[in-house]
Amino acid sequence: MSTADLHVSIATPEFLKRLERLRLWVRSARGLRPGETPIPRSNQAWGIEFESYKDYAPGDDFRYVDWNAVGRLDQLLVKTFTAEREIPYHIFLDTSASMGAPAIDRKFQFAVDLVAALAYIVLLNSDTLRVLALTAPEKGQRPYTPMPLARHRSAFLRVTSFLETLAPAGKTYLREAVRAYSEHAREPGVAIVVSDFLMEPAQYEEAFSLLRVRGYEVKALHVVGAAELEPHKLFRRGKLFDVENRTERWITLSQANLQRYQAAQQAHCAALKDFCHRYRILYHLASTASGVGAVLTEELPKAGMLTLR
Amino acid sequence: MGILNPSALPFLAVLGVLVLIYLRERLRTRIEVPALLFWMEVKEDRLRIRRFLPSLLFLLQALLLLLLVGGLLHPFRPTTVTETHGHRWILVFDVSASMQAREGRTQRFELALDQAKQVVKTLSALDEVMLISVATRPQLVSGFTTDHRAVLDLLETLHPLDAGANLTLGVELALAQRDREGRRAQVHVFTDLPKSTLALPEEQLQDIAYHRVGKNDDNVAIAALQLYQNPFQNYSQAQAYVLVRNYASRTHSGTLTVSLDEKSIFRRDFTLPSREVMSFSVKGFTSPGKLVAKIEPSDALAVDDQALAWLAERGRRRLVVVSAAKGLQEELERVSRSIPGLEVTSIAPSAFAQAQLDPQDVVLFHQFVPAATVAANSLYIFPPSENPLFPVVSEAEDLNILDWRQEHEILQNLRYVEALPLKKARILALPSWAQVLISSRTRNGEVPLAFTGEKDGHRVVCLAFDLNKGNLTNSDNLTLLLLFLNTIRWLLPHDPSTPMPVIAGDTFFLPTETAHDSPRVRTPNQQETPIEGGVVEVERVGEYRVTGSQYQATLYANLFNDEESDIGRQDQDQQDQAVNTPATTEALAPQDIVRTVPEEFGRSLYYAAACILLLEWLYALWRYRRMRVS
């Protein structure tokens, strides 16, 4: 798939309006800067949403002393409010060649649409967003291409423009990219990894562990193509070509062989899911057959990744 | 079922090409997958994938090609059809000289023509007729046709020739055509000859309807005009013999007149009993010229009442002897003294290069062969061991003559050829242009002792044995002297101004070098026509003149044919009489013929191919769209 073929198909007023009802669920991640995301079980001396009272301490702002309570209880009580912080989001988009194959799955387009939708939801909440395209590292370069930090919904166009410049190519460098980025990132937050995870388990395990160690709240969005799940609709026999490793293998897709393939695939997915579950990483498998709309409005809310505003 | 065009079978190879294209496409095409991670659990299978598995598209395309090739093969299935045909008739019409014989106030030819027309008129409209005319050779005038009007017109164009009849050949041709296409034809023969003259088996003659015309036998003919004048004799020494035969069954009287250049020089009255012959000798000619023999009064057949010959004036002929042997030269000069008109000129081999030769000369080379070809007829005697013309294989002594060609002009009327004195001979390799005249045999095979041929347009004779001293003049060796003189006579070039005698009905072939000469011929009835193919068909008795820009010749055509002159020949036995009764011809009803004919259905295969092409196109479109949708 070339960049010319890529177009963020969800950037229509109707679809974006549907997204305005959603917000990303965050368990613990928060930024340092005040924002619009209320942080449960955390309070501050000022704010909008009343949280609790506390005894007055010297230095507290008199404006927040609840005088009614003083009158009833004869005790100086100061109101505290639910803390609202800005959440830094880091979306890692896998742009390896495997995301572009098989072409009929349009897996990369699907992933880009998902990322754009998530970015819109993030920006709508005035949180900070950085999209990172995991690309093959050139000499002396980082194994990812970052988009400049976006903070407001007005930056959505920048996000779509950035996404539309991407094309699937090269191998997957999730581990290397995460390591490199986390070393430079100033503020951890929510890390959303959008990938087909067609890599050795050690790679994603290491990457996720690294993110967690650095204080990120990790969410994994596993993109799977329809033809990947049902390869017999793609071919019966032929020469398979691995677009990343550029190796070939002659396969006859008998029933037994199909079962072996699907068993291996399910085992791979199960291992990923199990790992995420173990480390409290929110995981969801999104099939291209479902469509972006269904995934965003039905599957992700059900999985707990998105909530209604 | 069968095919009419097996040459299209190789086109079936396109099926193999189609399979190869599919196999290549399969091996070339690869399916892109995101990773082989899960496929590593599946055993790789190269062999089964390379095996050809036909798809529906392939089957459609193969069927399409099969139908197209099938159409090219022109397949057919046998179908039985019933056709209504008329009967077939083959008319063999004799146009030989005897058909000119008078029968009362008309001609035999006219009688036969009337009978033939009558036969044609009685035929039903669907009947087919073939017409063959026969003189010296049969000629197909018209193939089978239902256009009876055209056949009647063609009959009108026929006319009797002054030639003999080879009726057997004409009937054989008709019989060969009789059973063509599985339909038996009825053969009708119109002639004045008895049926017994046909040299055919009795069972073949049974089915032939024979229409014989003519009863008149009143004919006296000049059966021969023989002029004896050898190449060395002048006209004064010539002698002519005229043979007159009475073919009638009654005594016949008449007058024979011989004229030389239209001047009567001989006149005799004769009375000939039935079937008798009389010979007249004419000699003492005083000048050369055209000799015409004529008998009067005229009888039923006029064409054999006159004969032509040419009395030639002989100039001196030169024999150039190229030999180093003085004895032979002297002997030849002695021989030449006894032959008027022959002059011997002796030249030493060393002086031959400067000798002036005339094309009318005959050159004798004795133990010598010149380096270049000689532009004259030549006789080579005992060529040397090393010579450019006749490779010498070996030498032999005391050979016996075992074989010779008696029919050759040189050996005609020559007896005791085996008695020729052969002391010593050279065994020569026979040139490709030569034919053996006299031969012997050694343990290595046949050995030519004398051979003749034509090289570069000139006659050549080679004698492989030597002439010893006194051979020619010794009275014991008369055969050798005659052989020598015959050889010289054969080698003497023909004088182009001398008319050539031919028999009417023969074909005269012009020399090949006259092909670009635009020759024309003037026939005895003074019609002048261009000659095509270098061939003159001599159809009339009399004088033919051939003229070209370079070539000129005169032909004297005579009939001299006993069978044609004997116009009243009777059948040999009673059985012939029975078969010779004229056949009755009645109109026969058309017949239904059930035939098995091949019905070709290649066109249907083309239509089916068009349908398959449409089907294949629709299927390919559907598959493409499905791929796009998915």
Side-chain angles (χ1 to χ4, degrees):
Chain A
M1 182 184 283
S2 67
T3 53
D5 300 329
L6 195 64
H7 174 70
V8 179
S9 60
I10 56 115
T12 60
E14 295 78 22
F15 194 84
L16 293 178
K17 195 162 188 178
R18 286 167 66 190
L19 295 179
E20 284 173 5
R21 296 185 295 123
L22 300 169
R23 63 183 298 168
L24 275 154
W25 182 81
V26 180
R27 188 171 57 242
S28 57
R30 67 200 62 181
L32 299 173
R33 298 174 59 172
E36 292 181 5
T37 305
I39 308 298
R41 293 182 298 282
S42 65
N43 49 40
Q44 60 183 21
W46 45 268
I48 295 168
E49 194 177 330
F50 171 72
E51 172 75 21
S52 185
Y53 291 102
K54 74 162 191 169
D55 292 334
Y56 174 78
D60 288 341
D61 193 342
F62 275 109
R63 283 182 297 169
Y64 296 105
V65 175
D66 189 344
W67 297 109
N68 289 330
V70 172
R72 283 201 303 274
L73 301 172
D74 195 19
Q75 191 178 351
L76 275 175
L77 294 173
V78 179
K79 285 181 184 175
T80 58
F81 299 89
T82 303
E84 288 180 333
R85 290 286 184 274
E86 183 186 73
I87 311 289
Y89 286 93
H90 311 269
I91 301 179
F92 294 86
L93 174 61
D94 183 357
T95 62
S96 65
S98 65
M99 291 292 283
I104 58 165
D105 275 349
R106 299 177 68 80
K107 210 160 65 179
F108 190 66
Q109 174 72 56
F110 181 77
V112 163
D113 285 344
L114 276 180
V115 170
L118 293 174
Y120 186 74
I121 293 168
V122 167
L123 294 175
L124 204 63
N125 210 38
S126 298
D127 292 321
T128 58
L129 170 72
R130 194 187 292 276
V131 179
L132 301 122
L134 309 185
T135 51
E138 291 177 14
K139 201 171 182 181
Q141 299 289 317
R142 290 171 294 190
Y144 60 87
T145 306
M147 189 197 77
L149 196 68
R151 200 183 288 276
H152 191 260
R153 66 188 293 180
S154 60
F156 180 65
L157 270 178
R158 259 180 32 224
V159 176
T160 56
S161 301
F162 172 75
L163 289 174
E164 283 173 356
T165 61
L166 302 177
K171 290 187 177 181
T172 311
Y173 293 96
L174 179 63
R175 179 174 46 203
E176 292 78 1
V178 164
R179 180 178 292 126
Y181 179 70
S182 59
E183 281 173 4
H184 294 94
R186 283 181 290 180
E187 195 175 19
V190 178
I192 304 172
V193 181
V194 181
S195 170
D196 55 9
F197 292 105
L198 288 171
M199 58 192 86
E200 291 299 326
Q203 191 173 166
Y204 63 75
E205 285 174 10
E206 200 174 324
F208 287 168
S209 300
L210 199 60
L211 285 170
R212 288 184 69 251
V213 166
R214 301 277 183 182
Y216 287 88
E217 182 182 332
V218 184
K219 298 177 194 300
L221 206 50
H222 187 178
V223 178
V224 180
E228 273 181 73
L229 296 171
E230 294 172 324
H232 55 278
K233 290 183 178 174
L234 187 65
F235 75 101
R236 288 286 176 189
R237 55 175 57 194
K239 183 169 61 176
L240 303 189
F241 178 69
D242 186 332
V243 291
E244 282 194 19
N245 296 319
R246 312 198 74 75
T247 52
E248 293 174 348
R249 195 168 176 84
W250 296 85
I251 296 294
T252 301
L253 199 55
S254 62
Q255 192 59 35
N257 284 345
L258 179 63
Q259 285 172 359
R260 280 193 200 100
Y261 167 81
Q262 287 176 334
Q265 191 188 41
Q266 284 164 10
H268 181 81
C269 293
L272 175 60
K273 189 175 179 179
D274 185 53
F275 178 83
C276 291
H277 180 71
R278 226 178 317 136
Y279 293 98
R280 302 183 69 192
I281 296 168
L282 208 55
Y283 165 85
H284 180 70
L285 186 144
S287 169
T288 55
S290 305
V292 180
V295 171
L296 285 168
T297 57
E298 295 171 22
E299 294 183 9
L300 288 182
K302 203 178 285 181
M305 207 173 279
L306 289 176
T307 57
L308 285 171
R309 227 177 248 280
Chain B
M1 286 274 286
I3 53 172
L4 295 173
N5 181 25
S7 61
L9 277 171
F11 284 113
L12 285 174
V14 296
L15 284 176
V17 175
L18 184 68
V19 172
L20 286 177
I21 289 171
Y22 266 78
L23 272 176
R24 183 175 172 274
E25 194 60 24
R26 164 171 293 185
L27 295 178
R28 208 169 61 92
T29 308
R30 58 189 191 185
I31 303 147
E32 290 191 346
V33 292
L36 291 175
L37 196 64
F38 312 131
W39 294 111
M40 300 309 282
E41 301 297 321
V42 178
K43 194 180 174 189
E44 194 171 19
D45 182 6
R46 284 175 179 269
L47 281 177
R48 279 174 64 189
I49 286 173
R50 284 167 192 266
R51 204 181 302 155
F52 180 71
L53 275 182
S55 64
L56 181 59
L57 198 61
F58 168 82
L59 289 175
L60 285 172
Q61 287 168 349
L63 183 60
L64 174 68
L65 287 175
L66 269 176
L67 289 170
L68 287 175
V69 176
L72 284 175
L73 288 170
H74 297 296
F76 68 90
R77 55 174 166 259
T79 310
T80 307
V81 293
T82 304
E83 293 173 346
T84 303
H85 285 288
H87 293 267
R88 284 185 156 183
W89 308 80
I90 301 175
L91 312 183
V92 181
F93 206 93
D94 182 357
V95 291
S96 64
S98 60
M99 292 294 279
Q100 300 177 37
R102 277 203 324 271
E103 293 287 338
R105 291 185 176 181
T106 183
Q107 268 190 343
R108 284 182 180 180
F109 183 80
E110 298 296 333
L111 292 175
L113 200 60
D114 288 344
Q115 288 193 19
K117 284 179 183 174
Q118 198 58 40
V119 168
V120 175
K121 284 173 183 171
T122 56
L123 304 181
S124 66
L126 289 174
D127 286 354
E128 295 175 52
V129 190
M130 175 186 277
L131 182 59
I132 297 170
S133 70
V134 186
T136 313
R137 287 175 296 279
Q139 188 180 1
L140 186 69
V141 181
S142 160
F144 281 115
T145 175
T146 52
D147 189 351
H148 301 165
R149 184 72 252 165
V151 174
L152 289 172
D153 290 345
L154 285 170
L155 278 169
E156 289 291 346
T157 62
L158 294 181
H159 50 82
L161 307 176
D162 297 345
N166 194 343
L167 194 61
T168 302
L169 199 59
V171 174
E172 278 178 341
L173 175 63
L175 292 174
Q177 299 290 321
R178 184 173 61 175
D179 295 323
R180 234 175 59 180
E181 299 171 12
R183 296 167 59 195
R184 198 172 177 83
Q186 174 77 52
V187 179
H188 286 252
V189 180
F190 301 88
T191 182
D192 63 339
L193 294 172
K195 199 169 187 176
S196 58
T197 56
L198 294 178
L200 290 170
E202 190 59 39
E203 58 271 18
Q204 290 190 343
L205 294 173
Q206 290 294 336
D207 296 336
I208 296 172
Y210 208 78
H211 304 258
R212 189 182 176 197
V213 292
K215 290 177 181 171
N216 192 356
D217 66 349
D218 182 24
N219 188 33
V220 178
I222 297 177
L225 169 58
Q226 190 72 45
L227 185 66
Y228 290 95
Q229 183 188 15
N230 70 38
F232 309 112
Q233 286 180 325
N234 209 348
Y235 55 85
S236 58
Q237 297 162 303
Q239 191 168 0
Y241 288 94
V242 184
L243 206 65
V244 178
R245 188 185 291 274
N246 179 13
Y247 294 96
S249 56
R250 65 177 177 85
T251 302
H252 214 293
S253 298
T255 307
L256 169 70
T257 310
V258 178
S259 56
L260 183 62
D261 283 342
E262 299 179 0
K263 185 178 158 189
S264 179
I265 57 167
F266 182 88
R267 185 180 177 87
R268 288 282 187 284
D269 293 332
F270 62 85
T271 301
L272 269 173
S274 168
R275 316 290 297 172
E276 283 299 320
V277 63
M278 190 177 279
S279 156
F280 301 92
S281 169
V282 185
K283 54 188 176 182
F285 300 106
T286 54
S287 65
K290 184 179 178 182
L291 205 62
V292 179
K294 196 180 281 185
I295 50 174
E296 290 171 327
S298 64
D299 46 20
L301 187 63
V303 70
D304 55 5
D305 290 348
Q306 182 176 300
L308 302 178
W310 177 258
L311 200 60
E313 180 173 20
R314 306 290 189 207
R316 288 190 72 79
R317 296 301 183 90
R318 197 165 71 129
L319 174 65
V320 179
V321 179
V322 184
S323 172
K326 289 282 181 194
L328 181 69
Q329 290 178 7
E330 289 168 2
E331 200 166 359
L332 286 172
E333 279 165 11
R334 271 209 304 279
V335 169
S336 71
R337 279 198 287 274
S338 63
I339 303 171
L342 182 67
E343 178 188 319
V344 173
T345 306
S346 298
I347 301 174
S350 55
F352 176 70
Q354 288 80 38
Q356 297 289 322
L357 289 178
D358 189 276
Q360 295 293 313
D361 290 343
V362 174
V363 189
L364 187 154
F365 295 103
H366 177 240
Q367 296 188 2
F368 171 70
V369 175
T373 314
V374 181
N377 293 352
S378 44
L379 167 64
Y380 294 86
I381 298 175
F382 202 53
S385 305
E386 298 291 331
N387 73 83
L389 203 56
F390 312 105
V392 177
V393 179
S394 62
E395 296 202 354
E397 290 186 356
D398 294 328
L399 287 170
N400 292 321
I401 292 174
L402 297 179
D403 198 8
W404 59 91
R405 283 172 61 203
Q406 189 69 55
E407 73 279 6
H408 197 280
E409 211 177 316
I410 292 176
L411 297 182
Q412 266 180 1
N413 306 319
L414 199 65
R415 293 182 181 182
Y416 313 118
V417 176
E418 67 273 26
L420 285 170
L422 296 180
K423 284 288 178 192
K424 195 175 177 185
R426 291 211 163 102
I427 298 175
L428 307 176
L430 186 69
S432 58
W433 45 264
Q435 285 187 321
V436 175
L437 185 68
I438 301 171
S439 65
S440 181
R441 178 168 280 277
T442 65
R443 63 183 64 173
N444 295 325
E446 189 182 24
V447 175
L449 294 173
F451 49 84
T452 63
E454 194 169 312
K455 189 167 187 332
D456 301 332
H458 295 283
R459 286 182 173 183
V460 175
V461 178
C462 179
L463 303 180
F465 52 87
D466 201 359
L467 296 179
N468 296 321
K469 190 175 179 185
N471 272 171
L472 293 176
T473 51
N474 192 334
S475 59
D476 293 339
N477 293 332
L478 191 60
T479 306
L480 184 62
L481 176 63
L482 290 175
L483 173 77
F484 176 76
L485 291 177
N486 278 356
T487 305
I488 299 298
R489 188 169 161 177
W490 187 73
L491 287 172
L492 281 173
H494 171 74
D495 183 0
S497 63
T498 306
M500 283 173 275
V502 290
I503 297 296
D506 281 358
T507 302
F508 179 73
F509 295 93
L510 268 64
T512 49
E513 60 268 21
T514 63
H516 304 292
D517 211 14
S518 308
R520 299 175 69 82
V521 62
R522 198 173 70 202
T523 59
N525 50 9
Q526 305 304 315
Q527 282 184 340
E528 194 167 316
T529 52
I531 298 172
E532 290 177 0
V535 171
V536 178
E537 296 290 351
V538 181
E539 294 179 339
R540 297 285 170 198
V541 297
E543 186 177 313
Y544 281 81
R545 278 191 183 275
V546 178
T547 50
S549 57
Q550 301 287 327
Y551 179 81
Q552 289 198 339
T554 305
L555 311 177
Y556 281 174
N558 296 304
L559 181 60
F560 300 154
N561 188 321
D562 262 349
E563 286 187 355
E564 293 301 313
S565 296
D566 191 4
I567 58 173
R569 264 182 299 169
Q570 294 302 312
D571 287 320
Q572 289 173 340
D573 52 39
Q574 195 60 36
Q575 190 185 0
D576 284 341
Q577 288 287 345
V579 254
N580 278 343
T581 50
T584 54
T585 310
E586 294 173 0
L588 299 172
Q591 53 188 353
D592 288 341
I593 296 175
V594 179
R595 282 204 306 150
T596 303
V597 293
E599 189 190 12
E600 197 195 323
F601 56 94
R603 193 179 290 267
S604 311
L605 296 185
Y606 288 135
Y607 292 142
C611 294
I612 293 294
L613 179 65
L614 182 68
L615 202 64
E616 185 232 340
W617 185 77
L618 288 174
Y619 175 70
L621 191 70
W622 172 78
R623 218 168 75 151
Y624 174 70
R625 281 190 177 165
R626 199 185 69 158
M627 211 163 74
R628 283 197 67 184
V629 167
S630 65

